[in-house]
Amino acid sequence: MRKILIATTAAVIAVGASLVGASAADKLKVGFIYLGPVGDLGWTYQHDVARQAMVKEFGDKVETTFLENVSEGPDSERSIEQLARAGNKLIFTTSFGYMEPTLKVAKKYPKIHFEHATGYKRAENVSTYSGRFYEGRYIQGIIAAKMSKSGVLGYIGSFPIPEVISGINATILGAQTINPNIKVKIIWANSWFDPGKEADAAKALLDQGADVIMQHTDSPAAMQIASERGKLAFGQDSEMIKFGPKSQLTSIMDNWGPYYIERVKAELDGTWKSEDFWGGLKTKIVMMAPYTNMPDDVKKLAMDTEAAITDGKLFPFKCPVIGQDGKEVECKGGTHLDDGQVLGMNFYVKGIDDKIPGK
Amino acid sequence: MQLVLEKRAERSNTIALVSPLIAIGLTIVTMSILFVILGKNPISALGVYFIDPLTDSYSLQEIAVKASPLVMIAIGLSLCYLANAWNIGAEGQFLVGAVAGSWLAVKTQGTDAGPWVLPAMLLLGAAAGALYALIPAICKVRFGASEILTSLMLVYVADLFLDYLVRGPWRDPKGFNFPTTAEFDPVATVPLLIETGRLHLGAVIALVVVAAGTVLLGKTIKGFEIRVVGAAPRAARFGGFNSNQLILLTFAISGALAGLAGIIEVAGPVGHLQPGISPGYGFTAIIVAFLGRLNPVGILIAGLFLALTFIGGEQAQIAMKIPLDVTKVFQGILLFYVLACDSLILYRFKLIYASAKVA
């Protein structure tokens, strides 16, 4: 009992001291809504790494708060509003499903600025931001086609939304530059994070003859399966090399840090405006994990491709892009498909023998 | 000398009244210790959890919004449980109700349908929930199938059915393949009670349900039958009560209430149909039903109390950076103590002095 008393007293003093120390009035309060628990890797983890990078950059000028594991259902509007009411002036909502709730809360709090990840609806005080993950996919396609012996790639999709569809297309377009007859088998997990399903999908794909696994889901389960069976795989969102030291070829890593720093700086300077930001390899929002488990010539090819995309010399969706029906897709961007076409992509390119679910 | 639990000759009414208070007291002590270990001031932490949400109208509204579906579902479940019928599938009935009501909302979208749409949606939701709940009830009555298993299994069927609809036929054509219907028209939306808040008509309906439950159980012969069949099945048989009929009836009522809660949630706070509309309301309501001692007014209090811990937990994340997991631990500990203390209603501790052993 005495120990508890001492501990209680200590805690009270500690809290008291911290209250005295913090003159929170002039700090910019920045809030974050996370889809999952922070954990050690994956989508939410990368957002939290970026938050920490931002805090490191601005130090005492900012104070951050996050709510984790906020489901995309009826609770999310309340969670966002709680952050707004707690005095946060800039709020990042980091998953697509928060789109409508973010807009609803933003309407009620016109003086607060909101940043919604991966959405397509904006408002005076709501910006959107996302990554050009398809650029990394194109590089992965090239590596996969070089490394595959069977000529069959396995792809674990999450949801058949444009971001995922454009990723599949970019992969195939990259792979076709090496092997025009490359095949891809796609399994939809219908989840962003479901290790059980992802593992089952990886097993099924390997059983169907695929020898390189790529995923648009969050867990390292597929990497572990590939590793167990001595096959190759790509990571997703985070570095996953420790789950497949002999299997990971590379990984598309989300790096939101530069964007968060830029937006918080704008907020501090009073220059924040509603924008639509879509950054790729060039802005380092999308980064490639080290190229591993491949011969030097493949590695060089991958690095050259990465450099060409970064310098704006190579566009994954360069025209002509041929659809599954054999017809050429309208080339709205001059030499390549324009951003609108990629953002709303709802067709497969030629070479994929599958159809988009629900279409 | 040893300490044993001994069955009381009759239930202790004093303990029945005091046990929730003991449980809350023990929870507070345990949580205080946990907060101290986490380095947080236990008094201010408990204040954030229990007191702060009660001090402003916004949080009070949010508590009501969160509690409404829980209370509605739990009232229905309590009727089942009182009659010894074990409906574990309220979550599925909730989803089916949401789907059935949404059907009308989706079909009338963009037409100039009148104000009859919402009442019709609510009726559809309740009817569908009732029918869905009757499946396990009929299987139980006709074939003796365990209603615990069948009702639980039907949750997953409902979940996947909803999934199919929003990914396929009901998908918002302008939604970039994201699995959601378009936002419902205003005539298909549950009206707000307070213009700027989120409190909606559902809260009133929940109160009506509580009143109706009280009258049914306290003042009607059916209510009496339900209690007798549950408490003394043999006596009920001698009394000529048809227990099969009561299983069907209580399942239908609880399904209807769960379905109603589902469509209100979708047409209210969510505003469209999507996967993940329920953060486990149907399962949490089982806890609420037992926490409220299967008594309508008790359930109302339990529902509000559980909602308070959700809202308080969120504010603790914001105000004191207490992780979400602590809130879950908190709810778990509370439940544990409530159930543990309840056993003292029927049992008591007794010290037994070892009698001289005969060797």
Side-chain angles (χ1 to χ4, degrees):
Chain A
M1 194 64 202
R2 177 181 285 175
K3 261 189 191 158
I4 293 170
L5 273 179
I6 292 171
T8 315
T9 321
V12 170
I13 292 168
V15 169
S18 71
L19 281 179
V20 175
S23 57
D26 46 358
K27 279 187 181 178
L28 173 67
K29 287 176 123 182
V30 185
F32 292 82
I33 299 277
Y34 293 156
L35 182 62
V38 172
D40 332 294
L41 80 171
W43 180 257
T44 293
Y45 173 75
Q46 296 300 130
H47 283 284
D48 199 58
V49 167
R51 179 186 66 84
Q52 290 171 20
M54 186 270 284
V55 169
K56 205 172 161 201
E57 173 82 17
F58 296 106
D60 278 351
K61 283 190 241 160
V62 294
E63 183 192 334
T64 61
T65 305
F66 63 83
L67 289 176
E68 59 181 339
N69 228 345
V70 176
S71 75
E72 293 178 323
D75 281 346
S76 56
E77 186 182 340
R78 184 192 67 234
S79 302
I80 299 167
E81 189 164 1
Q82 293 259 37
L83 284 182
R85 290 175 54 86
N88 292 286
K89 294 289 172 229
L90 181 62
I91 297 173
F92 292 88
T93 56
T94 63
S95 180
F96 175 80
Y98 304 140
M99 184 164 73
E100 295 296 341
T102 303
L103 289 163
K104 275 192 207 162
V105 178
K107 216 170 165 184
K108 264 197 237 176
Y109 297 87
K111 291 210 172 114
I112 296 177
H113 294 148
F114 294 84
E115 296 269 353
H116 176 233
T118 69
Y120 56 88
K121 290 188 188 169
R122 277 167 292 281
E124 192 79 347
N125 58 335
V126 181
S127 280
T128 50
Y129 63 102
S130 188
R132 293 176 187 270
F133 304 110
Y134 67 89
E135 294 180 347
R137 299 270 168 201
Y138 186 84
I139 304 172
Q140 290 190 349
I142 290 176
I143 299 171
K146 276 274 187 200
M147 300 302 294
S148 173
K149 293 187 187 96
S150 64
V152 181
L153 312 181
Y155 206 110
I156 305 170
S158 44
F159 299 107
I161 56 171
E163 184 195 324
V164 180
I165 304 277
S166 66
I168 296 173
N169 284 339
T171 306
I172 292 307
L173 291 174
Q176 282 170 348
T177 62
I178 305 298
N179 173 4
N181 299 317
I182 196 86
K183 293 268 175 280
V184 62
K185 296 205 181 291
I186 304 163
I187 291 183
W188 297 98
N190 277 324
S191 167
W192 291 110
F193 181 84
D194 188 332
K197 265 193 199 169
E198 292 171 48
D200 284 347
K203 285 177 196 160
L205 289 167
L206 292 173
D207 290 345
Q208 289 172 32
D211 57 357
V212 180
I213 300 290
M214 39 193 75
Q215 61 179 25
H216 207 130
T217 46
D218 231 13
S219 90
M223 180 66 72
Q224 286 167 315
I225 298 295
S227 177
E228 271 169 28
R229 299 221 189 161
K231 304 286 183 191
L232 299 167
F234 294 98
Q236 167 73 1
D237 291 333
S238 301
E239 173 67 88
M240 292 185 176
I241 188 88
K242 67 176 172 198
F243 297 97
K246 296 240 156 62
S247 288
Q248 179 174 294
L249 294 162
T250 180
S251 177
I252 298 177
M253 300 191 296
D254 315 339
N255 178 36
W256 305 106
Y259 182 72
Y260 287 176
I261 289 170
E262 186 192 312
R263 297 308 276 171
V264 169
K265 185 165 187 311
E267 184 68 41
L268 285 166
D269 297 345
T271 56
W272 191 97
K273 276 204 325 279
S274 171
E275 279 172 20
D276 175 23
F277 172 81
W278 205 25
L281 290 168
K282 191 177 174 193
T283 46
K284 296 200 169 9
I285 296 297
V286 176
M287 289 176 83
M288 305 305 286
Y291 298 107
T292 45
N293 296 313
M294 61 183 85
D296 285 344
D297 62 316
V298 181
K299 194 170 174 176
K300 180 163 186 310
L301 183 59
M303 288 164 91
D304 290 348
T305 311
E306 186 182 338
I309 295 176
T310 307
D311 297 342
K313 287 181 192 142
L314 172 63
F315 293 93
F317 292 109
K318 65 172 179 290
C319 296
V321 174
I322 312 291
Q324 244 177 341
D325 53 6
K327 289 194 197 120
E328 191 181 328
V329 179
E330 190 190 349
C331 193
K332 289 188 185 167
T335 55
H336 52 90
L337 300 191
D338 76 356
D339 283 359
Q341 286 178 295
V342 182
L343 282 168
M345 195 166 275
N346 196 17
F347 63 88
Y348 280 147
V349 295
K350 197 175 160 202
I352 301 176
D353 314 319
D354 204 338
K355 72 190 230 330
I356 298 175
K359 203 182 166 190
Chain B
M1 196 175 76
Q2 65 186 140
L3 194 61
V4 294
L5 267 182
E6 181 191 66
K7 198 165 168 85
R8 290 176 193 272
E10 53 189 303
R11 50 182 277 133
S12 159
N13 286 325
T14 329
I15 299 283
L17 280 176
V18 183
S19 103
L21 299 178
I22 303 175
I24 289 175
L26 287 171
T27 309
I28 288 176
V29 171
T30 313
M31 285 312 289
S32 300
I33 296 169
L34 188 60
F35 286 136
V36 169
I37 294 170
L38 285 170
K40 309 282 178 191
N41 177 349
I43 295 168
S44 45
L46 289 167
V48 169
Y49 268 98
F50 287 122
I51 313 293
D52 288 3
L54 299 174
T55 53
D56 67 281
S57 74
Y58 163 79
S59 304
L60 287 173
Q61 280 193 50
E62 288 297 338
I63 290 172
V65 169
K66 183 91 189 169
S68 301
L70 290 175
V71 170
M72 252 190 266
I73 302 169
I75 297 269
L77 289 179
S78 70
L79 297 179
C80 285
Y81 300 159
L82 282 171
N84 243 340
W86 299 99
N87 180 5
I88 308 296
E91 179 84 359
Q93 294 139 25
F94 178 96
L95 296 175
V96 165
V99 164
S102 300
W103 170 78
L104 192 61
V106 170
K107 288 296 154 200
T108 58
Q109 222 148 34
T111 65
D112 48 359
W116 57 270
V117 174
L118 182 69
M121 281 165 65
L122 299 187
L123 281 178
L124 272 175
L131 287 175
Y132 203 60
L134 278 173
I135 301 173
I138 290 172
C139 290
K140 162 86 176 171
V141 171
R142 288 297 303 270
F143 311 113
S146 160
E147 77 277 25
I148 298 176
L149 272 180
T150 49
S151 64
L152 179 64
M153 289 302 142
L154 284 170
V155 172
Y156 306 110
V157 176
D159 197 27
L160 291 170
F161 181 56
L162 188 159
D163 226 54
Y164 158 74
L165 288 172
V166 294
R167 288 184 206 291
W170 293 2
R171 196 168 57 187
D172 179 5
K174 295 195 199 84
F176 291 100
N177 282 1
F178 279 99
T180 157
T181 67
E183 292 289 296
F184 291 175
D185 290 341
V187 287
T189 310
V190 176
L192 292 173
L193 294 183
I194 300 172
E195 195 58 41
T196 54
R198 293 215 305 148
L199 190 64
H200 54 82
L201 196 62
V204 178
I205 298 177
L207 287 178
V208 172
V209 169
V210 171
T214 313
V215 171
L216 173 70
L217 283 175
K219 308 274 183 211
T220 65
I221 296 184
K222 264 289 167 260
F224 178 68
E225 284 183 27
I226 288 173
R227 283 184 290 137
V228 173
V229 164
R234 227 168 101 80
R237 266 202 300 284
F238 287 129
F241 300 158
N242 183 339
S243 69
N244 278 351
Q245 196 199 11
L246 279 178
I247 290 177
L248 295 176
L249 179 74
T250 53
F251 257 86
I253 295 176
S254 79
L257 288 174
L260 186 62
I263 185 59
I264 289 175
E265 200 64 11
V266 165
V270 184
H272 57 259
L273 190 66
Q274 63 165 56
I277 50 169
S278 167
Y281 282 137
F283 297 116
T284 312
I286 299 174
I287 299 169
V288 172
F290 280 103
L291 215 51
R293 292 155 186 281
L294 307 183
N295 167 304
V297 178
I299 285 170
L300 176 63
I301 296 169
L304 288 170
F305 185 74
L306 218 63
L308 173 68
T309 64
F310 279 111
I311 311 294
E314 206 161 74
Q315 293 183 349
Q317 272 194 79
I318 295 175
M320 304 196 64
K321 318 273 191 247
I322 292 173
L324 176 65
D325 302 312
V326 175
T327 297
K328 294 191 173 156
V329 169
F330 184 51
Q331 288 169 343
I333 288 177
L334 176 70
L335 221 78
F336 170 77
Y337 279 131
V338 165
L339 296 176
C341 290
D342 271 10
S343 58
L344 293 179
I345 298 173
L346 295 175
Y347 295 85
R348 67 176 161 213
F349 284 115
K350 197 178 176 191
L351 276 177
I352 297 180
Y353 299 95
S355 49
K357 271 189 190 157
V358 184

